Amino acid sequence: MSEAEIKDAVRSGSVPAIHSQQEAFNIAKVGGWEADALVGQLEEQIRQEGGEKRSFFHLEFKDPKHFTWLLVAFASMGGLLSGLDQSLISGANLFLPKDLGLSTQQNSLVNSGMPLGAVAGALILSPCNEYFGRRMSIIISTIIYTIGAALEAGSINYGMIIAARLILGVGVGLEGGTVPVYVAETVERRLRGNLVSLYQFNIALGEVLGYAVAAMFISVPGNWRYILGSSLVFSTIMFAGMLFMPESPRFLMHKGRTLDAFRVWRRIRGTESAESREEFFVMKVSLEEEEREIHAGSNGRRFPWMDFFTKPRARRAIVYANIMIFLGQFTGINAIMYYMSVLMSQIGFNKYQANYMSLVGGGSLLIGTIPAIFLMERFGRRFWAIATLPGFFIGLVLVGASYHVNGTAGTEAVYLTGLIIYELFFGSYACLTWVIPSEVYPTYLRSYGMTSSDGWLFLSSFIVTYNFSAMQKAFSKTGLALGFYGGIAVLGWFYQIFFMPETKGKTLEEIDLIFQKPTRQIVRENMASSMETTKDFFAGRWGRVFNGGPQRGLSVTEVDHEERKF
């Protein structure tokens, strides 16, 4: 239809109502005029209400892409706060226990207090996201974080430092589950994996900054107070920046605020391109269909999260997302980051050298995240996971072997080589533990799903961190690094080959269709894809190997829209 005919249809009210997600996809696929008509209807409503309403906190750019980058930059600062804590407490570990008279067990609880508090933060994630929205939840998290950081710096005894660590953790837990969702719901599909990966990049950047801050204050009297209190600066900047950011359009649509969702969409994505208009159209139809399904279920729909037990599509998502988090946490990363300075001192460095050498591990993790930011969308999530996990397993082998090398110089050389390899590959892999949970849940369950994933992530971090010292004694240093952490990495590699679907280049609504496939079908397609990739590898067809070849077995047009049996 011509633009004039579309306007006539809008004015006359003859635009057909679309009720099916599959029908919306079919319309978008052929460039149907209904998407343009929807945009025209909403533009007309805005004009009738007197145009765009602006306030002091209303930002708008000529090119919506600039807004997207600014939004991602401020939201992803939450990762910076999380990373800062890991490295700041590592530097403070060298002096804080002596100043406050802490035992080894008490200091273990101080270190693991943040992830334990983050579990509580994850538990309030769902109600905060549902009642206050994504944006306000992030703002609340920065306020809680700032209070915790101030209390940390002023702690005078064991009870106060534990309380401060728990409060700070609540802030980290709340923002840790909200930021990836906020970013995933606002950016375009071709950039989603790359931009959500910025959260992990900022975690690594925060760790490097934390080690640098610790090095700056390490010779100052009361050094650990300045080290821990420095995070106040970053949380304040994030708080101020988020005041100017808009709410997630998908959240607004989920709450029935279609016109407000469109206002935000115009600012952050624009409506000039057909792709943007079609994505908004499919999003609206999909969310309306979800809401109808929720209301049609009557009884138990007071508790939508029950769908994780009763709906195969939702169950597949929560199992998959949380296994990926398990693989990211139980391969030892947080134990190594929290105890980095202690580990450096165990292989022969003194306290001051150990703090400076911690920058090696933090810097390697930071460098490792950079390829994920630029290349994950090119290679795909599945290829990325299968290719990077063996890399950090090799690093764990070297770390474990280093304890049996004779001579301090040899031990340090092998240990640092293993640590660098481990951190480089894990930096790339860790991005998946934020990208995957943020995109696999259906919109109406996304805040509930992220509550479980965020809570599980920080509970895993607490378990690994709190038990690190005891596990080193029980397993030995080599047994822990190679046997426990390395063994889980090997099992995880096989899990990914069989059960990990590809979501590269898909909208959140298209991913919804992928997870409606039965698990056995996903496994069958993954096996076929793996065999084809293996043949390409040995045949020297590198372009097909590294670019993922065709989208093998993942076309959403092959998916029956009805729920399948698990």
Side-chain angles (χ1 to χ4, degrees):
M1 292 179 72
S2 67
E3 186 176 345
E5 289 174 319
I6 292 172
K7 288 181 178 178
D8 286 340
V10 171
R11 277 195 297 269
S12 63
S14 58
V15 180
I18 310 299
H19 300 296
S20 162
Q21 183 186 51
Q22 191 64 59
E23 186 182 357
F25 273 122
N26 293 336
I27 289 170
K29 186 177 178 181
V30 299
W33 63 276
E34 290 87 348
D36 294 334
L38 172 63
V39 170
Q41 284 178 327
L42 295 172
E43 293 277 12
E44 183 62 30
Q45 286 184 44
I46 291 175
R47 278 193 294 271
Q48 289 174 0
E49 292 186 5
E52 196 70 64
K53 297 174 183 177
R54 302 179 186 276
S55 67
F56 176 76
F57 295 111
H58 181 100
L59 277 182
E60 195 161 351
F61 291 87
K62 208 169 188 181
D63 186 345
K65 289 182 180 178
H66 296 159
F67 204 140
T68 298
W69 284 102
L70 184 67
L71 180 150
V72 171
F74 274 110
S76 297
M77 276 191 72
L80 194 76
L81 300 182
S82 180
L84 270 169
D85 179 77
Q86 292 182 14
S87 52
L88 291 177
I89 196 65
S90 175
N93 260 334
L94 298 171
F95 304 95
L96 183 152
K98 184 179 179 181
D99 281 5
L100 295 184
L102 306 181
S103 66
T104 301
Q105 187 174 8
Q106 286 175 328
N107 193 48
S108 291
L109 191 55
V110 169
N111 277 276
S112 54
M114 189 281 276
L116 184 60
V119 175
L123 294 177
I124 65 171
L125 187 151
S126 179
C128 276
N129 271 252
E130 286 298 310
Y131 291 109
F132 301 117
R134 320 299 194 215
R135 170 182 171 269
M136 187 53 67
S137 293
I138 296 172
I139 291 173
I140 291 170
S141 74
T142 61
I143 295 171
I144 296 173
Y145 185 100
T146 302
I147 293 170
L151 290 173
E152 267 189 327
S155 293
I156 57 175
N157 55 40
Y158 173 62
M160 188 171 177
I161 189 70
I162 286 293
R165 297 285 295 159
L166 291 172
I167 292 170
L168 183 141
V170 171
V172 171
L174 179 56
E175 62 83 9
T178 305
V179 168
V181 168
Y182 180 65
V183 173
E185 289 185 343
T186 52
V187 302
E188 58 182 292
R189 61 182 174 183
R190 284 192 299 269
L191 298 175
R192 188 177 62 248
N194 297 344
L195 295 183
V196 174
S197 295
L198 275 176
Y199 186 79
Q200 175 60 33
F201 174 82
N202 274 339
I203 290 177
L205 178 61
E207 287 166 354
V208 172
L209 285 175
Y211 290 129
V213 169
M216 287 169 54
F217 290 111
I218 199 166
S219 300
V220 177
N223 44 24
W224 64 268
R225 297 185 185 277
Y226 293 102
I227 291 172
L228 296 180
S230 62
S231 58
L232 285 164
V233 176
F234 300 96
S235 61
T236 303
I237 293 172
M238 183 178 175
F239 168 78
M242 285 305 301
L243 293 175
F244 292 89
M245 298 299 109
E247 182 51 88
S248 156
R250 280 182 170 85
F251 170 79
L252 293 170
M253 192 78 79
H254 167 56
K255 291 298 181 181
R257 297 164 58 186
T258 303
L259 191 59
D260 288 336
F262 180 69
R263 291 178 193 272
V264 173
W265 192 267
R266 286 202 313 177
R267 292 165 60 195
I268 65 174
R269 298 289 297 278
T271 55
E272 287 74 21
S273 71
E275 184 180 1
S276 176
R277 295 192 297 272
E278 287 162 4
E279 185 176 345
F280 184 84
F281 169 71
V282 172
M283 176 181 73
K284 178 179 183 293
V285 174
S286 300
L287 292 178
E288 287 175 348
E289 184 179 14
E290 282 182 358
E291 294 302 319
R292 283 195 301 273
E293 289 177 358
I294 292 172
H295 293 306
S298 64
N299 299 343
R301 291 306 183 177
R302 288 175 52 202
F303 307 107
W305 50 266
M306 286 297 293
D307 283 0
F308 287 125
F309 300 96
T310 60
K311 294 246 181 175
R313 181 264 178 268
R315 188 165 61 243
R316 289 182 200 110
I318 197 169
V319 170
Y320 170 50
N322 287 315
I323 287 179
M324 292 301 293
I325 287 171
F326 171 81
L327 296 177
Q329 292 299 311
F330 279 84
T331 46
I333 185 61
N334 277 322
I336 291 172
M337 297 311 296
Y338 275 90
Y339 287 93
M340 181 77 75
S341 296
V342 174
L343 289 168
M344 290 294 182
S345 64
Q346 286 180 352
I347 61 170
F349 294 107
N350 63 38
K351 287 186 176 183
Y352 294 96
Q353 290 172 333
N355 185 75
Y356 291 120
M357 290 305 297
S358 296
L359 282 164
V360 174
S364 300
L365 186 70
L366 176 64
I367 293 169
T369 62
I370 295 174
I373 294 171
F374 294 102
L375 299 175
M376 185 184 291
E377 284 299 336
R378 177 182 174 185
F379 293 123
R381 281 76 158 139
R382 178 175 160 79
F383 176 90
W384 203 256
I386 293 172
T388 56
L389 197 149
F392 67 79
F393 171 74
I394 292 170
L396 287 169
V397 171
L398 291 175
V399 168
S402 68
Y403 296 109
H404 299 278
V405 176
N406 294 325
T408 302
T411 299
E412 291 174 354
V414 176
Y415 181 88
L416 289 173
T417 300
L419 179 68
I420 290 169
I421 293 172
Y422 172 78
E423 298 282 359
L424 283 172
F425 279 94
F426 191 88
S428 285
Y429 182 86
C431 295
L432 292 167
T433 63
W434 299 107
V435 172
I436 286 170
S438 71
E439 65 185 15
V440 299
Y441 297 113
T443 300
Y444 79 101
L445 289 175
R446 194 162 290 135
S447 60
Y448 298 102
M450 284 305 293
T451 293
S452 74
S453 294
D454 197 36
W456 173 231
L457 186 149
F458 288 110
L459 180 60
S460 301
S461 177
F462 168 75
I463 292 169
V464 170
T465 306
Y466 180 70
N467 292 293
F468 177 74
S469 299
M471 289 179 74
Q472 260 202 343
K473 292 178 182 177
F475 284 87
S476 79
K477 296 183 180 77
T478 300
L480 180 59
L482 183 53
F484 187 80
Y485 298 150
I488 289 175
V490 171
L491 293 174
W493 189 70
F494 285 104
Y495 168 81
Q496 290 169 166
I497 289 175
F498 287 105
F499 293 100
M500 185 177 187
E502 182 57 79
T503 54
K504 163 189 171 183
K506 307 293 183 186
T507 66
L508 297 180
E509 289 70 36
E510 288 172 330
I511 292 172
D512 188 45
L513 294 182
I514 289 174
F515 276 87
Q516 289 176 25
K517 294 181 180 182
T519 302
R520 61 180 176 274
Q521 182 181 344
I522 293 174
V523 172
R524 193 163 55 244
E525 290 171 354
N526 284 344
M527 287 303 299
S529 174
S530 297
M531 291 180 68
E532 192 171 342
T533 301
T534 302
K535 290 177 184 176
D536 290 338
F537 180 83
F538 285 108
R541 294 189 286 264
W542 310 115
R544 288 173 61 86
V545 171
F546 294 111
N547 288 310
Q551 290 292 318
R552 300 167 182 139
L554 289 171
S555 173
V556 297
T557 60
E558 297 174 0
V559 182
D560 184 356
H561 190 50
E562 297 179 2
E563 280 289 330
R564 309 292 189 92
K565 191 173 179 182
F566 186 79

